[in-house]
Amino acid sequence: MSKADFKGQIPEGSTEAAMLASLDENRMPRHVAIIMDGNGRWARQRRLPRVDGHRAGISAVRETVEAAAQLDIEVLTLYAFSRENWKRPKDEIETLMELLKEFVAAELGTMLKHRIRFNVIGRIHELDPMVQKCLQEAMTLTATGDGLLFNIALSYGGRTEITEAAAAAHRFLCRPENQHRELDETLLSSFLYTSGQPDPDLLIRTSGEMRVSNFLLWQIAYAEIWVTEVLWPDFRRCDLLEALVAFQKRERRYGGLENEGGPSRPTDVLAPSR
Ligand code: IPE
Ligand code: IPE
Ligand code: MG
């Protein structure tokens, strides 16, 4: 996929075309993370059951993944199911899991065609075995994809991720061959689910809530946050473009000062490992 294909899909003279034209290709976020929220409200507005909102959200996922791949974004992380979401009614959870299986089966061909690498982050072992099998197959089949890395967060909790990483780092440091090493930010982050990936530059939340709901707590340290009132099932590529345009207007300082040629990323200013 390419930006040229993307342009071809956008009507000339439209707001979308203008937004695309205004984007600076050299200042694109490497990693975009999205809290997909508002499916229940979308359904309620239409007097439909909540699960219909989740079903309607699938086209938003499809369009967002495709747009991210076409825009040459390196990593897209979608928050689909939190550990806290296990508190929801059993029927709703079952439908969400069914929809997930259907989505992965339906999109596998597209992911392979566009060399998208599919990856699950979260406590995958807590999911139904059939769902795990389907996810595992998609991860294996797309493992060599060198296009967009598409992370989907399932049974995910940011605090859990950090706690698990701390426990793994502790085990690592207890090994005799690592006795000389000390815990630092680089070492701890190497045990996160997103190890080796750039941190999100842009965090989008739909449906207007001003909270992060336990999502990528470590990784969003310096992410730019964009909250839109649009409910997730209505989110389309023009909404992604709007967020990207707003992102490019922001001044990222990472604690430094404007135009001082200071550090470009927080890791540049970390004290070296002892
Ligand atoms: C987001 O939509 C989807 C999941 C959290 C699984 P919600 O189901 O949270 O929708 P609202 O927030 O109730 O509108
Ligand atoms: C966040 O949405 C989790 C996902 C999008 C998967 P929630 O709807 O669960 O978050 P809260 O409850 O509004 O914080
Ligand atoms: Mg919600």
Short mmCIF file of all heavy atoms in Angstrom, two decimals, residues 17-72:
data_model
loop_
_atom_site.label_atom_id
_atom_site.label_comp_id
_atom_site.label_asym_id
_atom_site.label_seq_id
_atom_site.Cartn_x
_atom_site.Cartn_y
_atom_site.Cartn_z
N ALA A 17 -8.94 15.38 1.54
CA ALA A 17 -7.82 15.58 0.61
C ALA A 17 -6.94 16.73 1.09
O ALA A 17 -5.71 16.65 1.05
CB ALA A 17 -8.34 15.85 -0.80
N ALA A 18 -7.57 17.79 1.59
CA ALA A 18 -6.81 18.95 2.08
C ALA A 18 -5.99 18.56 3.31
O ALA A 18 -4.82 18.96 3.45
CB ALA A 18 -7.77 20.10 2.41
N MET A 19 -6.59 17.76 4.19
CA MET A 19 -5.86 17.33 5.40
C MET A 19 -4.67 16.46 5.01
O MET A 19 -3.57 16.63 5.53
CB MET A 19 -6.79 16.57 6.36
CG MET A 19 -7.76 17.47 7.08
SD MET A 19 -8.55 16.68 8.50
CE MET A 19 -9.67 15.56 7.71
N LEU A 20 -4.90 15.54 4.07
CA LEU A 20 -3.81 14.66 3.62
C LEU A 20 -2.68 15.48 3.01
O LEU A 20 -1.51 15.26 3.31
CB LEU A 20 -4.35 13.62 2.62
CG LEU A 20 -3.34 12.59 2.13
CD1 LEU A 20 -2.83 11.73 3.28
CD2 LEU A 20 -3.95 11.71 1.05
N ALA A 21 -3.07 16.46 2.18
CA ALA A 21 -2.06 17.30 1.52
C ALA A 21 -1.27 18.12 2.54
O ALA A 21 -0.09 18.41 2.34
CB ALA A 21 -2.74 18.22 0.52
N SER A 22 -1.91 18.48 3.65
CA SER A 22 -1.21 19.33 4.63
C SER A 22 -0.27 18.53 5.54
O SER A 22 0.52 19.11 6.28
CB SER A 22 -2.24 20.09 5.49
OG SER A 22 -2.77 19.22 6.45
N LEU A 23 -0.34 17.20 5.48
CA LEU A 23 0.53 16.41 6.36
C LEU A 23 1.97 16.42 5.88
O LEU A 23 2.23 16.25 4.69
CB LEU A 23 0.05 14.95 6.42
CG LEU A 23 -1.17 14.66 7.30
CD1 LEU A 23 -1.52 13.17 7.22
CD2 LEU A 23 -0.94 15.06 8.75
N ASP A 24 2.87 16.60 6.81
CA ASP A 24 4.30 16.56 6.51
C ASP A 24 4.77 15.12 6.69
O ASP A 24 4.77 14.59 7.82
CB ASP A 24 5.02 17.52 7.48
CG ASP A 24 6.53 17.50 7.30
OD1 ASP A 24 7.04 16.62 6.57
OD2 ASP A 24 7.19 18.36 7.92
N GLU A 25 5.16 14.47 5.60
CA GLU A 25 5.55 13.05 5.66
C GLU A 25 6.72 12.80 6.60
O GLU A 25 6.90 11.71 7.10
CB GLU A 25 5.93 12.55 4.26
CG GLU A 25 4.73 12.32 3.39
CD GLU A 25 5.09 11.73 2.04
OE1 GLU A 25 5.97 10.86 1.97
OE2 GLU A 25 4.48 12.16 1.05
N ASN A 26 7.53 13.84 6.81
CA ASN A 26 8.71 13.67 7.68
C ASN A 26 8.39 13.82 9.15
O ASN A 26 9.25 13.62 10.01
CB ASN A 26 9.79 14.67 7.29
CG ASN A 26 10.23 14.48 5.87
OD1 ASN A 26 10.44 13.35 5.44
ND2 ASN A 26 10.31 15.58 5.13
N ARG A 27 7.16 14.20 9.46
CA ARG A 27 6.81 14.40 10.88
C ARG A 27 5.62 13.53 11.29
O ARG A 27 4.86 13.89 12.15
CB ARG A 27 6.53 15.89 11.14
CG ARG A 27 7.81 16.73 10.99
CD ARG A 27 7.56 18.20 11.24
NE ARG A 27 6.95 18.43 12.53
CZ ARG A 27 5.79 19.08 12.70
NH1 ARG A 27 5.12 19.53 11.66
NH2 ARG A 27 5.31 19.28 13.89
N MET A 28 5.52 12.39 10.63
CA MET A 28 4.43 11.47 10.98
C MET A 28 4.76 10.78 12.30
O MET A 28 5.92 10.49 12.58
CB MET A 28 4.28 10.41 9.88
CG MET A 28 3.77 10.96 8.57
SD MET A 28 2.10 11.62 8.71
CE MET A 28 1.17 10.11 8.69
N PRO A 29 3.74 10.50 13.12
CA PRO A 29 4.02 9.71 14.33
C PRO A 29 4.46 8.30 13.92
O PRO A 29 3.93 7.75 12.95
CB PRO A 29 2.66 9.66 15.05
CG PRO A 29 1.64 9.97 14.00
CD PRO A 29 2.34 10.82 12.96
N ARG A 30 5.44 7.76 14.62
CA ARG A 30 5.86 6.38 14.31
C ARG A 30 4.83 5.40 14.86
O ARG A 30 4.58 4.36 14.30
CB ARG A 30 7.24 6.10 14.93
CG ARG A 30 8.35 6.91 14.30
CD ARG A 30 9.68 6.57 14.97
NE ARG A 30 10.10 5.19 14.66
CZ ARG A 30 11.09 4.56 15.28
NH1 ARG A 30 11.76 5.17 16.26
NH2 ARG A 30 11.41 3.31 14.96
N HIS A 31 4.28 5.75 16.03
CA HIS A 31 3.36 4.83 16.71
C HIS A 31 2.09 5.59 17.12
O HIS A 31 2.19 6.61 17.81
CB HIS A 31 4.08 4.25 17.94
CG HIS A 31 3.31 3.21 18.69
ND1 HIS A 31 3.91 2.42 19.65
CD2 HIS A 31 2.00 2.82 18.67
CE1 HIS A 31 3.00 1.59 20.16
NE2 HIS A 31 1.83 1.82 19.58
N VAL A 32 0.95 5.10 16.68
CA VAL A 32 -0.34 5.68 17.07
C VAL A 32 -1.08 4.64 17.91
O VAL A 32 -1.19 3.48 17.51
CB VAL A 32 -1.19 6.05 15.83
CG1 VAL A 32 -2.57 6.56 16.24
CG2 VAL A 32 -0.48 7.10 14.97
N ALA A 33 -1.55 5.06 19.08
CA ALA A 33 -2.31 4.15 19.95
C ALA A 33 -3.72 4.71 20.10
O ALA A 33 -3.90 5.92 20.20
CB ALA A 33 -1.62 4.05 21.31
N ILE A 34 -4.72 3.83 20.08
CA ILE A 34 -6.11 4.31 20.13
C ILE A 34 -6.91 3.57 21.19
O ILE A 34 -6.94 2.33 21.23
CB ILE A 34 -6.82 4.15 18.76
CG1 ILE A 34 -5.99 4.80 17.63
CG2 ILE A 34 -8.23 4.76 18.81
CD1 ILE A 34 -6.67 4.78 16.26
N ILE A 35 -7.58 4.36 22.04
CA ILE A 35 -8.56 3.80 22.99
C ILE A 35 -9.91 3.88 22.28
O ILE A 35 -10.49 4.96 22.13
CB ILE A 35 -8.57 4.59 24.32
CG1 ILE A 35 -7.16 4.59 24.95
CG2 ILE A 35 -9.61 4.00 25.28
CD1 ILE A 35 -7.02 5.45 26.21
N MET A 36 -10.37 2.74 21.80
CA MET A 36 -11.59 2.70 20.99
C MET A 36 -12.79 2.67 21.95
O MET A 36 -13.13 1.62 22.47
CB MET A 36 -11.60 1.43 20.13
CG MET A 36 -10.34 1.21 19.31
SD MET A 36 -10.46 -0.25 18.24
CE MET A 36 -10.39 -1.60 19.40
N ASP A 37 -13.38 3.82 22.18
CA ASP A 37 -14.44 3.88 23.19
C ASP A 37 -15.72 4.45 22.59
O ASP A 37 -15.68 5.20 21.62
CB ASP A 37 -13.96 4.75 24.36
CG ASP A 37 -14.79 4.53 25.62
OD1 ASP A 37 -15.49 3.50 25.70
OD2 ASP A 37 -14.73 5.39 26.52
N GLY A 38 -16.85 4.08 23.20
CA GLY A 38 -18.13 4.68 22.80
C GLY A 38 -19.07 3.75 22.03
O GLY A 38 -20.11 4.20 21.54
N ASN A 39 -18.73 2.47 21.96
CA ASN A 39 -19.61 1.54 21.22
C ASN A 39 -20.98 1.44 21.88
O ASN A 39 -22.01 1.41 21.20
CB ASN A 39 -19.00 0.13 21.19
CG ASN A 39 -17.71 0.07 20.42
OD1 ASN A 39 -17.32 1.05 19.80
ND2 ASN A 39 -17.04 -1.07 20.47
N GLY A 40 -20.98 1.39 23.21
CA GLY A 40 -22.25 1.27 23.95
C GLY A 40 -23.12 2.50 23.74
O GLY A 40 -24.33 2.40 23.51
N ARG A 41 -22.50 3.68 23.79
CA ARG A 41 -23.26 4.92 23.59
C ARG A 41 -23.80 5.02 22.18
O ARG A 41 -24.92 5.47 21.95
CB ARG A 41 -22.38 6.14 23.93
CG ARG A 41 -22.37 6.44 25.42
CD ARG A 41 -21.21 7.31 25.80
NE ARG A 41 -19.99 6.51 25.95
CZ ARG A 41 -18.81 7.00 26.26
NH1 ARG A 41 -18.67 8.30 26.43
NH2 ARG A 41 -17.78 6.21 26.42
N TRP A 42 -23.02 4.57 21.23
CA TRP A 42 -23.46 4.57 19.82
C TRP A 42 -24.74 3.73 19.70
O TRP A 42 -25.71 4.15 19.06
CB TRP A 42 -22.35 3.99 18.94
CG TRP A 42 -22.60 4.02 17.47
CD1 TRP A 42 -22.21 4.98 16.59
CD2 TRP A 42 -23.29 3.02 16.69
NE1 TRP A 42 -22.61 4.65 15.31
CE2 TRP A 42 -23.28 3.45 15.34
CE3 TRP A 42 -23.92 1.81 17.00
CZ2 TRP A 42 -23.86 2.72 14.31
CZ3 TRP A 42 -24.51 1.09 15.97
CH2 TRP A 42 -24.48 1.54 14.65
N ALA A 43 -24.73 2.56 20.35
CA ALA A 43 -25.90 1.67 20.28
C ALA A 43 -27.09 2.30 21.02
O ALA A 43 -28.21 2.29 20.53
CB ALA A 43 -25.55 0.31 20.87
N ARG A 44 -26.80 2.88 22.19
CA ARG A 44 -27.90 3.46 22.99
C ARG A 44 -28.60 4.58 22.22
O ARG A 44 -29.82 4.67 22.24
CB ARG A 44 -27.36 3.98 24.33
CG ARG A 44 -28.49 4.25 25.32
CD ARG A 44 -28.01 4.57 26.72
NE ARG A 44 -27.17 5.76 26.72
CZ ARG A 44 -26.04 5.86 27.40
NH1 ARG A 44 -25.60 4.86 28.12
NH2 ARG A 44 -25.34 6.98 27.35
N GLN A 45 -27.80 5.40 21.52
CA GLN A 45 -28.40 6.49 20.73
C GLN A 45 -29.39 5.96 19.70
O GLN A 45 -30.29 6.65 19.26
CB GLN A 45 -27.31 7.26 19.98
CG GLN A 45 -26.52 8.19 20.87
CD GLN A 45 -25.36 8.86 20.10
OE1 GLN A 45 -25.14 8.60 18.91
NE2 GLN A 45 -24.63 9.71 20.79
N ARG A 46 -29.19 4.71 19.29
CA ARG A 46 -30.07 4.11 18.27
C ARG A 46 -31.05 3.13 18.87
O ARG A 46 -31.66 2.34 18.14
CB ARG A 46 -29.18 3.40 17.22
CG ARG A 46 -28.42 4.38 16.37
CD ARG A 46 -27.25 3.75 15.65
NE ARG A 46 -26.57 4.77 14.84
CZ ARG A 46 -25.77 5.71 15.34
NH1 ARG A 46 -25.51 5.74 16.64
NH2 ARG A 46 -25.23 6.61 14.56
N ARG A 47 -31.13 3.10 20.19
CA ARG A 47 -31.99 2.14 20.92
C ARG A 47 -31.69 0.70 20.53
O ARG A 47 -32.57 -0.12 20.35
CB ARG A 47 -33.48 2.45 20.69
CG ARG A 47 -33.87 3.82 21.17
CD ARG A 47 -35.31 4.11 20.84
NE ARG A 47 -35.60 5.52 21.02
CZ ARG A 47 -35.79 6.10 22.20
NH1 ARG A 47 -35.74 5.40 23.31
NH2 ARG A 47 -36.04 7.40 22.28
N LEU A 48 -30.41 0.42 20.35
CA LEU A 48 -29.99 -0.94 19.99
C LEU A 48 -29.27 -1.57 21.18
O LEU A 48 -28.78 -0.85 22.06
CB LEU A 48 -29.01 -0.88 18.80
CG LEU A 48 -29.58 -0.39 17.45
CD1 LEU A 48 -28.45 -0.13 16.45
CD2 LEU A 48 -30.57 -1.40 16.89
N PRO A 49 -29.14 -2.90 21.21
CA PRO A 49 -28.35 -3.53 22.28
C PRO A 49 -26.87 -3.11 22.17
O PRO A 49 -26.39 -2.87 21.06
CB PRO A 49 -28.50 -5.03 22.04
CG PRO A 49 -29.40 -5.21 20.88
CD PRO A 49 -29.73 -3.87 20.28
N ARG A 50 -26.17 -3.08 23.30
CA ARG A 50 -24.76 -2.66 23.32
C ARG A 50 -23.91 -3.43 22.30
O ARG A 50 -23.03 -2.86 21.65
CB ARG A 50 -24.16 -2.89 24.72
CG ARG A 50 -24.64 -1.94 25.79
CD ARG A 50 -23.96 -2.27 27.12
NE ARG A 50 -22.51 -2.19 27.00
CZ ARG A 50 -21.82 -1.06 27.05
NH1 ARG A 50 -22.42 0.08 27.28
NH2 ARG A 50 -20.51 -1.07 26.91
N VAL A 51 -24.22 -4.73 22.19
CA VAL A 51 -23.37 -5.54 21.29
C VAL A 51 -23.45 -5.07 19.84
O VAL A 51 -22.50 -5.25 19.07
CB VAL A 51 -23.71 -7.06 21.39
CG1 VAL A 51 -23.30 -7.60 22.75
CG2 VAL A 51 -25.17 -7.33 21.10
N ASP A 52 -24.56 -4.45 19.48
CA ASP A 52 -24.65 -3.91 18.10
C ASP A 52 -23.64 -2.78 17.91
O ASP A 52 -23.14 -2.56 16.80
CB ASP A 52 -26.08 -3.40 17.80
CG ASP A 52 -27.04 -4.56 17.57
OD1 ASP A 52 -26.65 -5.72 17.83
OD2 ASP A 52 -28.19 -4.31 17.15
N GLY A 53 -23.35 -2.08 18.97
CA GLY A 53 -22.32 -1.03 18.91
C GLY A 53 -20.95 -1.65 18.68
O GLY A 53 -20.15 -1.14 17.88
N HIS A 54 -20.69 -2.77 19.36
CA HIS A 54 -19.40 -3.45 19.14
C HIS A 54 -19.30 -3.95 17.70
O HIS A 54 -18.26 -3.82 17.05
CB HIS A 54 -19.24 -4.63 20.10
CG HIS A 54 -19.23 -4.23 21.55
ND1 HIS A 54 -18.51 -3.15 22.01
CD2 HIS A 54 -19.85 -4.75 22.64
CE1 HIS A 54 -18.69 -3.03 23.33
NE2 HIS A 54 -19.50 -3.99 23.73
N ARG A 55 -20.40 -4.51 17.20
CA ARG A 55 -20.41 -5.01 15.81
C ARG A 55 -20.14 -3.85 14.85
O ARG A 55 -19.33 -3.98 13.93
CB ARG A 55 -21.77 -5.66 15.52
CG ARG A 55 -21.76 -6.53 14.31
CD ARG A 55 -22.98 -7.46 14.22
NE ARG A 55 -22.91 -8.58 15.15
CZ ARG A 55 -23.73 -8.79 16.17
NH1 ARG A 55 -24.70 -7.95 16.43
NH2 ARG A 55 -23.58 -9.83 16.96
N ALA A 56 -20.77 -2.73 15.10
CA ALA A 56 -20.60 -1.56 14.22
C ALA A 56 -19.16 -1.02 14.29
O ALA A 56 -18.69 -0.39 13.34
CB ALA A 56 -21.60 -0.48 14.59
N GLY A 57 -18.50 -1.28 15.40
CA GLY A 57 -17.13 -0.78 15.58
C GLY A 57 -16.12 -1.47 14.67
O GLY A 57 -15.02 -0.95 14.45
N ILE A 58 -16.49 -2.62 14.13
CA ILE A 58 -15.53 -3.38 13.31
C ILE A 58 -15.14 -2.63 12.04
O ILE A 58 -13.97 -2.62 11.66
CB ILE A 58 -16.09 -4.78 12.98
CG1 ILE A 58 -16.10 -5.58 14.28
CG2 ILE A 58 -15.25 -5.48 11.92
CD1 ILE A 58 -16.40 -7.01 14.13
N SER A 59 -16.10 -1.95 11.42
CA SER A 59 -15.71 -1.24 10.19
C SER A 59 -14.75 -0.09 10.51
O SER A 59 -13.89 0.25 9.68
CB SER A 59 -16.92 -0.74 9.38
OG SER A 59 -17.98 -0.46 10.22
N ALA A 60 -14.89 0.47 11.70
CA ALA A 60 -13.95 1.53 12.11
C ALA A 60 -12.55 0.94 12.27
O ALA A 60 -11.55 1.56 11.89
CB ALA A 60 -14.43 2.18 13.40
N VAL A 61 -12.48 -0.27 12.83
CA VAL A 61 -11.17 -0.92 13.00
C VAL A 61 -10.56 -1.17 11.62
O VAL A 61 -9.40 -0.81 11.37
CB VAL A 61 -11.30 -2.26 13.77
CG1 VAL A 61 -9.95 -2.98 13.83
CG2 VAL A 61 -11.86 -2.05 15.17
N ARG A 62 -11.36 -1.75 10.74
CA ARG A 62 -10.86 -2.08 9.40
C ARG A 62 -10.31 -0.83 8.70
O ARG A 62 -9.20 -0.82 8.19
CB ARG A 62 -12.02 -2.68 8.60
CG ARG A 62 -11.60 -3.35 7.33
CD ARG A 62 -12.78 -4.03 6.66
NE ARG A 62 -13.30 -5.16 7.40
CZ ARG A 62 -14.57 -5.31 7.79
NH1 ARG A 62 -15.46 -4.39 7.53
NH2 ARG A 62 -14.94 -6.38 8.46
N GLU A 63 -11.10 0.25 8.74
CA GLU A 63 -10.69 1.46 8.02
C GLU A 63 -9.45 2.10 8.66
O GLU A 63 -8.57 2.61 7.96
CB GLU A 63 -11.87 2.46 8.00
CG GLU A 63 -11.61 3.58 7.03
CD GLU A 63 -12.86 4.34 6.60
OE1 GLU A 63 -13.92 3.71 6.38
OE2 GLU A 63 -12.77 5.58 6.50
N THR A 64 -9.38 2.05 9.99
CA THR A 64 -8.23 2.65 10.68
C THR A 64 -6.94 1.89 10.39
O THR A 64 -5.89 2.48 10.13
CB THR A 64 -8.50 2.70 12.20
OG1 THR A 64 -9.72 3.39 12.40
CG2 THR A 64 -7.39 3.39 12.96
N VAL A 65 -7.03 0.55 10.42
CA VAL A 65 -5.84 -0.27 10.15
C VAL A 65 -5.36 0.01 8.73
O VAL A 65 -4.17 0.24 8.49
CB VAL A 65 -6.14 -1.78 10.35
CG1 VAL A 65 -4.97 -2.64 9.90
CG2 VAL A 65 -6.48 -2.08 11.80
N GLU A 66 -6.30 0.03 7.81
CA GLU A 66 -5.93 0.25 6.40
C GLU A 66 -5.31 1.64 6.21
O GLU A 66 -4.26 1.79 5.58
CB GLU A 66 -7.17 0.11 5.51
CG GLU A 66 -6.79 -0.06 4.06
CD GLU A 66 -7.99 -0.05 3.12
OE1 GLU A 66 -9.14 0.06 3.58
OE2 GLU A 66 -7.76 -0.12 1.91
N ALA A 67 -5.92 2.64 6.80
CA ALA A 67 -5.40 4.01 6.66
C ALA A 67 -4.00 4.13 7.29
O ALA A 67 -3.10 4.74 6.71
CB ALA A 67 -6.36 5.01 7.29
N ALA A 68 -3.81 3.51 8.45
CA ALA A 68 -2.51 3.59 9.12
C ALA A 68 -1.44 2.94 8.24
O ALA A 68 -0.33 3.47 8.10
CB ALA A 68 -2.57 2.91 10.48
N ALA A 69 -1.78 1.80 7.63
CA ALA A 69 -0.82 1.11 6.76
C ALA A 69 -0.50 1.99 5.55
O ALA A 69 0.67 2.13 5.17
CB ALA A 69 -1.38 -0.23 6.32
N GLN A 70 -1.51 2.61 4.98
CA GLN A 70 -1.29 3.43 3.79
C GLN A 70 -0.48 4.69 4.11
O GLN A 70 0.22 5.22 3.26
CB GLN A 70 -2.64 3.83 3.18
CG GLN A 70 -3.31 2.65 2.49
CD GLN A 70 -4.74 2.96 2.09
OE1 GLN A 70 -5.46 3.66 2.81
NE2 GLN A 70 -5.16 2.46 0.98
N LEU A 71 -0.61 5.16 5.33
CA LEU A 71 0.11 6.38 5.71
C LEU A 71 1.53 6.08 6.19
O LEU A 71 2.22 6.97 6.70
CB LEU A 71 -0.66 7.12 6.81
CG LEU A 71 -1.93 7.83 6.32
CD1 LEU A 71 -2.83 8.18 7.48
CD2 LEU A 71 -1.56 9.08 5.52
N ASP A 72 1.93 4.81 6.08
CA ASP A 72 3.27 4.39 6.50
C ASP A 72 3.54 4.63 7.98
O ASP A 72 4.69 4.93 8.36
CB ASP A 72 4.37 5.07 5.65
CG ASP A 72 4.39 4.55 4.23
OD1 ASP A 72 4.00 3.38 4.05
OD2 ASP A 72 4.75 5.31 3.32
#
